[in-house]
């Protein structure tokens, strides 16, 4: 780790002010990716602004149309929230499957979205459910939020405050774990939303994406068998030491079928 | 605390302090005024160092010294030793790989130490390391075990043609060739034994202290026996003499063979501490462990088994290419050569011939990893036997039954020269099959198939060799105040040495466990010894018994003087020397008090009721057993789940069944990890370790392990007084072939697939099932 100045503000305004003042600041949410990269000296912020003192960022609330989760809600808080379990059980199940117990007690929804790891679980849920990401400056549709590998629409210093998930008719998330990291080797989130059937895929490509072939087939008939003849192209998918693009393409289809069956 | 008998499932005496955080591992050794070391490592697999500029680093804040290969040369330090000579087939000697503790002009693997920085804080040392300028001239890297041995491959060492460090043979080549001519059937199997990164929970570490008044260093370091590394550091490398160095090994959080050997860092830290005349600390990070701990396995083998018309084995021929890494580690060449003795297995194979080519590569040095050659041999043999059975239409148990060495054949000398003293191989297999419900497997397979899953069952019969090696020391000192202290050469790494030794001694001397202290890991006090090769109980236990016998013998002489009787009239029992047939007695601690004064001492004896023994077992011992595994495979994803695990072992006699079960469970976990998850991947061009962290290298986790149905069918060993056979590595030897035989059974039944290599990752299984040629597993 390199040295940095540490701050623990108690309000969003204070956090934003600290960010502007510092030469190269980073927000610290649950720290599950940032701390590791600091320890490996891959990141060298001048100032670390720890958000854990801002209580308002943790709230979880549901109404008839939306489930709104504070950016600093931990994966465990989401997984065990009665509101989440009632409104979007698939989201509670997704959160319960992230990492391990220690990670789930520290990692946060906002941190996961802002980091936009190409194998993270939450981006798939946000994209499939058509979530709205609220920041201290504006509201961003999930469709516009995820730009690319570890890249989002957030401007420097812009802070996610909460995320609103429209409550779907049905939804399910299926993850096939990368055996070491337990990130998604492939993860598929299927939802029947007011806008139609959505299928978001994580882990398989350079960033989360929607599979139009799967959405089209499921729009005609929301049934696992409807995907039997669908061909998921491997062309743009990742190949690495854990899986080839072919295997990932195959898993996208298998997991989509399982998600439909379980939804 | 009461007397502990051998054979009782006594809870580990070690647990309470360790679980309360009262253990003392290397990192817990806090010395005042300590400095911190950081090791700059090579980012290249193979490169010449054109220039190395440390001027800026030396001037950086807090830096006390920066050492490089130039300093190693200036101080005329010795190279890292390799103890294993090998004769090539043509009579010449194996190649040598001079290994300085810091690279002099060439780096040979990613992680090869290039410079050592000592500073007031670790961050300052790391900051300074970033100021070091190294101009590397990259050279092509030899990486792949098999490809590196081909003509024209990149050379890891210029003087080693085709990277072949040795070309070694064993067995009777002519007899094997003759047998193959008469064979009714030949089964040929080609396979990889995958490379494993050991990953002890506690990483390696070294903390050195220096006392200027006496010019003496103390090294605190995790090891599997302080006495093994002591002379290497003091005499071979630093050349300061053993009396100038004390090596202390505190608690150790896992070794698995990997912590037996000398590492550059242990020498570097002592050397640096003598230069800065202050304590120096170094604890490996996990990423450093991936780049610098010796790794295991990484063999490519071809086995051919000749059978007669009744499926009886006539001969076995094996050719192996074994990766040795960039430098020969302490025992590096031993593992793929001597380990092959177990290719005889539990079968009456009359003729065996083995050729092993040791291949140098630009990868981390290789050495023993839990099993050390025996897992490689048994995996190859048991996969070959299963494949032969499949080709001949026999069941796995039937082909083994036809070829087993029967109890009546024992003692039995194998074609490779091992003399099996005891064992009931058919009986063990039968017991394991009964416990595993082998005969009703078809119904379970049908049930799985109804759910769209593939089910397989597989067995492996392993035998291994333990108790080999140098002498083990044990010293017993009886203190008149009521304690007995044992100084052991062996080193606990988590096995429970304190518990089992206390049991042995408590029973032998008939004294309370609470009166016994076990001391390990301090070269100022503990004798020679080394934990490795599953030899602790058989060798160490025997040595302890012999030392206890000596204590009783000497005690009788002293007691005889005190009681004014002849020593032969005394009996020793329950801590007392009693005059036979009377109630006249004196207890062991009173005898120890008497032993302090000259009056009662026999002539020529030293004061004190003490004994020292050093002993090596005259013959090895052969633990063996049958593992049976049942797996279910999801054909849609290729994911393998181990549903049932049954093992029936022959460990001879048992000191503590609970510790023993722990050894078996741990060994199976590691073996299952190798079979299913652990995938060490080097980039073939660059030699970079791609699976260089726990984010990419998958270790087995609790939720992936089945319940293990662990059984004994013991035939006590006849060649050591405790009857013990050794258990530490057994699980890691039996598990990989059992798991892979089960997977092969499922895949053959479903799709005619005869073999896939370890690790059986979902992708590999899926690719085999889908017949995809496109993506050969990375």
């Amino acid at each position: 780790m390199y040295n940095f100045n540490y701050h623990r503000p108690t309000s969003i305004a204070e956090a934003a002010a600290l960010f502007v003042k510092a030469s190269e600041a980073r927000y610290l949410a649950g720290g599950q990716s940032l701390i590791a990269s600091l320890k490996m000296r891959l990141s060298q912020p001048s100032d670390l602004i720890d958000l854990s003192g801002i209580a308002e960022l943790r709230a979880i609330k549901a109404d008839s149309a939306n489930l709104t989760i504070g950016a600093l809600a931990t994966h465990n808080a989401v997984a065990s929230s009665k509101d989440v379990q009632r409104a979007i059980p698939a989201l509670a199940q997704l959160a319960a499957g992230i990492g391990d117990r220690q990670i789930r007690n520290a990692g946060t929804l906002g941190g996961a979205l802002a980091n936009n790891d190409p194998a993270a679980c939450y981006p798939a849920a946000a994209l499939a459910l058509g979530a709205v990401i609220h920041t201290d400056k504006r509201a961003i549709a999930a469709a516009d939020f995820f730009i690319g590998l570890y890249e989002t629409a957030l401007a420097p210093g812009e802070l996610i405050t909460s995320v609103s998930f429209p409550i779907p008719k049905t939804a399910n998330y299926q993850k096939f774990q990368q055996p070491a990291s337990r990130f998604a080797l492939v993860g598929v989130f299927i939802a029947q939303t007011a806008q139609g059937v959505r299928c978001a895929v994580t882990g398989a490509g350079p960033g989360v994406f929607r599979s139009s072939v799967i959405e089209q087939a499921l729009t005609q008939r929301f049934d696992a068998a409807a995907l039997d003849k669908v061909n998921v192209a491997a062309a743009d998918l990742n190949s690495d030491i854990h899986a080839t693009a072919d295997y990932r393409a195959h898993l996208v289809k298998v997991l989509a079928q399982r998600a439909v069956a379980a939804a | 605390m009461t007397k502990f008998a051998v054979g009782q499932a006594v809870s580990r005496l070690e647990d309470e302090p360790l679980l309360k955080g009262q253990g003392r591992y290397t990192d817990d050794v806090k010395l005042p005024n300590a400095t911190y070391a950081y090791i700059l490592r090579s980012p290249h697999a193979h490169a010449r160092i054109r220039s190395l500029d440390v001027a800026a680093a030396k001037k950086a804040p807090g830096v006390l010294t920066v050492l490089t290969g130039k300093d190693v040369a200036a101080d005329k330090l010795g190279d890292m030793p390799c103890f294993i000579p090998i004769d090539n087939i043509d009579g010449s000697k194996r190649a040598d790989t001079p290994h300085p503790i810091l690279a002099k002009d060439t780096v040979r693997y990613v992680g090869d130490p290039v410079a050592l920085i000592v500073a007031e804080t670790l961050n300052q040392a790391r900051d300074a390391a970033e100021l070091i300028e190294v101009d590397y001239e990259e050279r092509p890297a030899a990486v792949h075990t098999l490809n590196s041995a081909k003509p024209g491959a990149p050379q890891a060492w210029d003087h080693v043609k085709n990277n072949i460090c040795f070309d070694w043979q064993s067995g009777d080549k002519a007899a094997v060739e003759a047998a193959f001519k008469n064979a009714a059937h030949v089964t040929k199997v080609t396979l990889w034994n995958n490379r494993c990164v050991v990953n002890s929970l506690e990483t390696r570490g070294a903390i050195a202290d220096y006392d200027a008044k006496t010019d003496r260093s103390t090294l605190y370091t995790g090891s599997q026996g302080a006495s093994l590394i002591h002379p290497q550091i003091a005499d071979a490398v630093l050349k300061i003499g053993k009396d100038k160095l004390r090596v202390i090994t505190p608690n150790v959080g896992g070794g698995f063979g990997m912590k037996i050997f000398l590492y550059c860092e242990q020498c570097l830290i002592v050397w640096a501490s003598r230069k800065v005349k202050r304590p120096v600390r170094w604890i490996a990070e996990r990423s450093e462990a991936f780049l610098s701990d010796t790794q295991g396995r990484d063999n490519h083998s071809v086995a051919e088994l000749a059978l007669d018309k009744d499926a009886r084995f006539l001969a076995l021929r094996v050719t192996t290419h074994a990766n040795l890494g960039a430098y020969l580690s302490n025992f590096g060449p031993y593992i793929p050569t001597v380990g092959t003795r177990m290719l005889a297995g539990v079968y009456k194979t009359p003729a065996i011939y083995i050729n092993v080519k040791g291949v140098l590569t630009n990868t981390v040095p290789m050495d023993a990893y839990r099993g050390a050659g025996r897992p490689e041999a048994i995996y190859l043999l048991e996969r070959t036997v299963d494949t032969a059975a499949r080709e001949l239409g026999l069941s796995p148990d039937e082909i083994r039954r036809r070829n087993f060495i029967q109890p009546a054949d024992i003692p039995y000398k194998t074609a490779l020269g091992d003399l099996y003293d005891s064992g009931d191989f058919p009986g063990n297999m039968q017991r394991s099959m009964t416990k595993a419900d082998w005969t009703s497997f078809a119904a379970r397979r049908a049930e799985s198939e109804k759910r769209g899953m593939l089910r397989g069952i597989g067995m492996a019969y392993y035998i291994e060799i333990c108790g080999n090696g140098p002498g083990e020391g044990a010293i017993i000192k009886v203190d008149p105040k009521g304690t007995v202290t044992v100084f052991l050469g062996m080193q606990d790494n988590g096995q429970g040495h304190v518990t089992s030794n206390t049991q042995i001694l408590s029973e032998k001397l008939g004294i309370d466990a609470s009166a016994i202290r076990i001391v390990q890991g301090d070269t100022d006090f503990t004798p020679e010894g080394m934990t490795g090769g599953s030899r602790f109980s058989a060798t160490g236990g025997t040595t302890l018994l012999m030392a206890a016998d000596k204590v009783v013998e000497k005690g009788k002489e002293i007691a005889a003087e005190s009681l004014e009787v002849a020593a032969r009239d005394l009996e020793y029992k329950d801590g007392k020397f009693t005059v036979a047939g009377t109630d006249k007695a004196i207890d062991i601690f009173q005898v120890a008090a008497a032993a302090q004064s000259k009056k009662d001492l026999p002539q020529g004896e030293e004061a004190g009721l003490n004994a020292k023994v050093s002993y090596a077992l005259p013959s090895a011992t052969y633990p063996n057993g049958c593992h049976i595994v049942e797996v279910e495979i999801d054909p849609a994803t290729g994911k393998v789940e181990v549903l049932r695990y049954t093992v029936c072992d022959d460990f001879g006699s048992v000191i503590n069944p609970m510790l023993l079960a722990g050894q078996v469970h741990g060994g199976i976990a590691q073996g299952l990890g190798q079979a299913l998850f652990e995938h060490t991947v080097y980039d073939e061009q660059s030699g970079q370790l791609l699976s260089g962290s726990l984010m990419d290298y998958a270790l087995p986790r609790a939720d992936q392990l089945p319940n293990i149905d662990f059984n004994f069918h013991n035939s006590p060993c006849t060649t050591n007084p405790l009857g013990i056979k050794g258990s530490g590595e057994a699980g890691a030897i039996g598990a990989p072939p059992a798991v892979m035989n089960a997977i092969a059974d499922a895949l053959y039944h479903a799709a005619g697939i005869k073999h896939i290599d370890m690790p059986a990752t979902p992708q590999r299984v899926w690719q085999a099932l889908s017949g995809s040629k496109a993506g050969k597993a990375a």
Side-chain angles (χ1 to χ4, degrees):
Chain A
M1 232 178 242
Y2 295 103
N3 287 335
F4 50 79
N5 301 310
Y6 175 81
H7 311 276
R8 192 163 183 265
T10 51
S11 72
I12 294 167
E14 192 190 341
L18 284 165
F19 195 99
V20 172
K21 237 171 67 186
S23 65
E24 210 169 320
R26 289 289 301 270
Y27 289 124
L28 175 67
Q32 295 307 291
S33 300
L34 181 55
I35 297 292
S37 90
L38 291 177
K39 283 177 79 174
M40 296 175 80
R41 294 193 155 199
L42 297 171
S43 175
Q44 193 175 3
S46 64
D47 294 72
L48 209 56
I49 302 165
D50 181 352
L51 304 173
S52 63
I54 309 174
E56 61 186 292
L57 294 179
R58 296 180 190 281
I60 298 177
K61 46 187 188 287
D63 58 31
S64 58
N66 287 289
L67 171 69
T68 300
I69 302 177
L72 241 59
T74 63
H75 308 324
N76 187 38
V78 173
S80 53
S81 158
K82 293 274 175 289
D83 285 328
V84 180
Q85 289 169 1
R86 211 175 301 123
I88 314 179
L91 198 60
Q93 167 225 339
L94 174 149
I98 296 174
D100 54 37
R101 195 176 291 261
Q102 288 82 356
I103 287 170
R104 290 194 291 274
N105 281 330
T108 65
L109 168 63
L113 294 180
N115 191 46
N116 192 19
D117 187 300
C121 298
Y122 269 129
L127 191 60
L129 293 171
V132 175
I133 290 118
H134 302 282
T135 75
D136 57 343
K137 301 200 169 63
R138 57 186 167 145
I140 310 169
D144 303 324
F145 183 82
F146 305 105
I147 307 286
L149 194 67
Y150 297 105
E151 205 186 334
T152 67
L154 290 171
E158 190 173 6
L159 188 62
I160 301 176
T161 53
S162 67
V163 183
S164 294
F165 296 92
I167 295 170
K169 200 173 114 208
T170 58
N172 188 263
Y173 179 63
Q174 295 286 323
K175 171 163 85 161
F176 196 81
Q177 288 176 338
Q178 193 259 58
S181 70
R182 298 202 162 182
F183 271 80
L185 191 71
V186 173
V188 176
F189 200 106
I190 301 266
Q192 286 181 293
T193 74
Q195 282 72 42
V197 177
R198 293 287 179 267
C199 169
V201 179
T202 187
V208 65
F209 65 91
R210 279 170 55 190
S211 169
S212 51
V213 285
I214 290 175
E215 288 183 0
Q216 281 159 18
L218 293 177
T219 300
Q220 284 172 15
R221 187 161 61 102
F222 194 76
D223 187 298
L227 299 177
D228 282 346
K229 297 228 162 66
V230 164
N231 180 33
V232 177
D236 297 326
L237 302 188
N238 296 341
S239 275
D240 56 31
I241 64 172
H242 302 290
T244 61
D246 282 344
Y247 181 52
R248 280 193 163 93
H250 169 77
L251 285 179
V252 169
K253 179 167 150 176
V254 170
L255 297 178
Q257 288 182 308
R258 289 182 181 180
V260 170
Chain B
M1 215 182 296
T2 52
K3 289 167 202 165
F4 284 174
V6 166
Q8 286 178 6
V10 173
S11 293
R12 282 161 46 92
L13 300 172
E14 291 90 342
D15 282 344
E16 192 177 323
L18 291 179
L19 292 172
K20 284 179 169 175
Q22 292 160 345
R24 189 182 187 232
Y25 294 87
T26 301
D27 192 35
D28 296 322
V29 176
K30 307 291 184 201
L31 302 175
N33 208 23
T35 64
Y36 293 79
Y38 178 77
I39 293 160
L40 181 70
R41 298 177 181 278
S42 168
H44 303 296
H46 195 190
R48 205 174 63 80
I49 299 174
R50 275 206 210 96
S51 67
L52 175 57
D53 183 356
V54 298
K58 278 187 169 168
K59 282 185 229 143
V63 170
L64 297 163
T65 190
V66 180
L67 298 169
T68 69
K70 270 193 187 142
D71 302 294
V72 172
D75 283 9
K76 300 189 170 57
L77 301 188
D79 285 332
M80 299 278 291
C82 170
F83 299 127
I84 307 301
I86 300 272
D87 290 335
N88 292 316
I89 294 172
D90 66 9
S92 60
K93 305 285 179 202
R94 67 155 170 81
D96 212 354
T97 58
H99 187 187
I101 59 172
L102 287 172
K104 287 180 179 163
D105 49 17
T106 305
V107 289
R108 297 187 198 274
Y109 66 94
V110 176
D112 205 352
V114 172
L116 177 84
I117 304 97
V118 180
E120 297 289 347
T121 72
L122 182 57
N123 249 349
Q124 287 175 330
R126 292 186 68 154
D127 288 344
E130 292 180 7
L131 300 173
I132 294 177
E133 283 183 28
V134 194
D135 183 10
Y136 290 107
E137 177 189 315
E138 279 190 71
R139 303 186 58 186
V143 179
H144 191 270
T145 311
L146 203 50
N147 295 344
S148 296
K150 289 176 184 161
Q155 290 274 120
W157 290 84
D158 290 339
H159 69 284
V160 186
K161 198 183 166 199
N162 297 332
N163 297 309
I164 296 183
C165 176
F166 57 77
D167 189 2
W168 175 91
Q169 68 178 358
S170 163
D172 189 337
K173 192 177 186 181
V176 165
E177 276 169 11
F180 268 85
K181 280 192 191 122
N182 298 320
H185 181 81
V186 173
T187 289
K188 185 174 175 180
V189 168
T190 302
L191 55 75
W192 282 97
N193 198 296
N194 49 319
R195 189 178 183 113
C196 294
V197 181
V198 177
N199 276 304
S200 56
L201 187 55
E202 182 208 25
T203 57
R204 289 186 302 110
I207 297 173
D209 199 1
Y210 176 66
D211 180 41
K213 280 200 291 288
T214 57
D215 186 35
R216 197 163 187 253
S217 295
T218 302
L219 170 67
Y220 301 85
T221 189
S223 78
Q224 294 183 220
S227 72
L228 191 88
I229 54 177
H230 182 219
Q232 295 193 70
I233 300 168
D235 293 336
V237 178
L238 301 185
K239 301 177 181 171
I240 54 176
K242 277 202 289 185
D243 58 331
K244 295 290 187 211
L245 178 67
R246 174 183 181 184
V247 180
I248 294 175
T249 292
N251 288 131
V252 180
F256 311 110
M258 180 272 285
K259 283 185 187 156
I260 293 174
F261 325 114
L262 179 69
Y263 288 88
C264 299
E265 294 89 351
Q266 289 161 326
C267 306
L268 285 170
I269 298 306
V270 175
W271 184 47
S273 165
R274 296 176 75 85
K275 289 199 178 288
V276 302
K277 301 195 179 347
R278 283 173 61 184
V280 179
R281 300 174 57 87
W282 171 79
I283 304 292
E285 296 184 354
R286 180 64 57 188
S287 49
E288 265 185 305
F290 270 94
L291 296 180
S292 64
D293 294 355
T294 56
Q295 299 179 358
R297 323 280 194 250
D298 201 345
N299 291 351
H300 176 272
S301 291
V302 179
E304 294 161 282
L305 180 66
L307 303 97
D308 72 9
K309 61 177 176 33
D310 300 318
R312 291 201 163 78
F313 305 162
L314 299 174
L316 178 68
R317 180 161 57 204
V318 169
T319 307
T320 293
H321 286 77
N323 200 328
L324 302 169
Y327 302 97
L328 299 180
S329 175
N330 274 174
F331 300 100
Y334 180 93
I335 312 309
T337 52
V338 180
T340 60
R341 282 164 69 172
M342 288 301 111
L343 278 167
V346 287
Y347 311 112
K348 288 188 278 192
T349 313
I352 301 176
Y353 175 73
I354 301 154
N355 174 218
V356 179
K357 292 173 171 69
V359 184
L360 292 164
T361 59
N362 295 107
T363 62
V364 176
M366 306 292 287
D367 211 316
Y369 168 50
R370 202 169 192 169
R374 291 101 95 203
E376 294 91 316
I378 294 298
Y379 178 65
L380 182 60
L381 178 65
E382 289 297 285
R383 282 292 299 125
T384 303
V385 168
D386 250 39
T387 305
R390 190 152 291 135
E391 288 174 357
L392 296 170
L394 294 172
S395 65
D397 51 315
E398 178 57 23
I399 195 166
R400 286 175 173 82
R401 212 170 277 119
R402 286 190 196 180
N403 288 283
F404 271 142
I405 297 162
Q406 298 294 326
D409 300 325
I410 289 174
Y412 182 90
K413 192 167 189 179
T414 72
L416 295 172
D418 280 285
L419 186 67
Y420 296 162
D421 64 285
S422 54
D424 174 11
F425 312 139
N428 251 349
M429 182 179 76
Q430 191 50 54
R431 186 165 295 211
S432 217
M433 288 172 68
T434 305
K435 295 288 284 184
D437 299 315
W438 180 276
T439 50
S440 57
F441 172 72
R444 297 194 292 281
R445 169 173 273 168
E447 187 277 325
S448 292
E449 282 170 353
K450 264 190 218 152
R451 289 181 283 112
M453 305 295 265
L454 316 179
R455 198 165 179 132
I457 192 166
M459 68 161 64
Y461 204 109
Y462 80 92
I463 186 162
E464 60 140 334
I465 176 168
C466 300
N468 269 328
E472 285 304 325
I475 297 168
I476 299 178
K477 291 188 178 175
V478 184
D479 185 320
K481 288 184 196 122
T483 56
V484 177
T485 304
V486 178
F487 298 88
L488 284 180
M490 294 220 181
Q491 179 62 50
D492 183 76
N493 281 208
Q495 296 91 340
H497 288 186
V498 170
T499 308
S500 57
N501 273 292
T502 300
Q503 283 183 266
I504 290 171
L505 202 64
S506 176
E507 176 174 287
K508 178 74 184 176
L509 293 181
I511 53 174
D512 274 9
S514 60
I516 297 170
R517 284 177 59 226
I518 309 282
V519 179
Q520 305 170 77
D522 185 338
T523 55
D524 272 5
F525 299 99
T526 50
E528 77 284 2
M530 182 270 285
T531 292
S534 304
R535 57 206 294 275
F536 169 66
S537 297
T539 312
T542 302
T543 308
L544 182 61
L545 277 186
M546 291 168 74
D549 278 334
K550 264 179 101 167
V551 163
V552 170
E553 215 173 291
K554 184 175 175 183
K556 274 186 183 170
E557 298 287 336
I558 298 161
E561 293 283 335
S562 300
L563 297 169
E564 298 177 329
V565 294
R568 66 174 178 279
D569 294 333
L570 290 172
E571 284 170 354
Y572 180 81
K573 205 187 162 203
D574 289 340
K576 281 187 194 135
F577 296 91
T578 308
V579 181
T582 74
D583 58 359
K584 249 174 101 179
I586 178 170
D587 86 16
I588 188 169
F589 301 109
Q590 291 171 304
V591 171
Q596 306 300 320
S597 76
K598 280 231 164 81
K599 181 172 77 68
D600 289 337
L601 273 180
Q603 229 176 348
E605 285 279 7
E606 279 177 36
L609 185 52
N610 305 329
K612 178 176 180 176
V613 167
S614 180
Y615 182 70
L617 286 178
S619 19
T621 175
Y622 301 93
N624 62 88
C626 184
H627 290 230
I628 294 179
V629 172
E630 220 165 297
V631 298
E632 197 170 70
I633 296 173
D634 178 349
T637 63
K639 192 171 174 185
V640 177
E641 191 184 351
V642 178
L643 299 179
R644 290 183 70 164
Y645 205 113
T646 312
V647 54
C648 186
D649 279 313
D650 172 5
F651 289 138
S653 305
V654 176
I655 298 174
N656 182 325
M658 193 193 298
L659 292 185
L660 188 58
Q663 287 296 309
V664 171
H665 288 186
I668 288 172
Q670 279 183 307
L672 205 136
Q674 182 183 11
L676 296 179
F677 310 116
E678 300 190 35
H679 193 23
T680 308
V681 187
Y682 278 94
D683 182 272
E684 252 195 76
Q685 293 301 313
S686 69
Q688 295 290 334
L689 180 61
L690 301 179
S691 54
S693 83
L694 293 175
M695 290 296 276
D696 282 309
Y697 186 87
L699 291 172
R701 306 188 200 209
D703 64 352
Q704 292 162 323
L705 297 175
N707 282 321
I708 295 163
D709 180 12
F710 170 47
N711 308 276
F712 302 126
H713 180 55
N714 288 326
S715 305
C717 175
T718 63
T719 59
N720 68 63
L722 284 163
I724 283 168
K725 292 190 173 174
S727 64
E729 294 156 295
I733 299 170
V739 171
M740 295 309 290
N741 281 342
I743 290 172
D745 179 55
L747 294 180
Y748 186 78
H749 183 78
I753 297 160
K754 277 164 79 174
H755 178 75
I756 63 166
D757 273 322
M758 299 190 287
T761 59
Q763 162 162 281
R764 274 203 178 148
V765 173
W766 174 77
Q767 282 172 339
L769 280 169
S770 64
S772 161
K773 299 272 183 266
K776 200 170 156 264

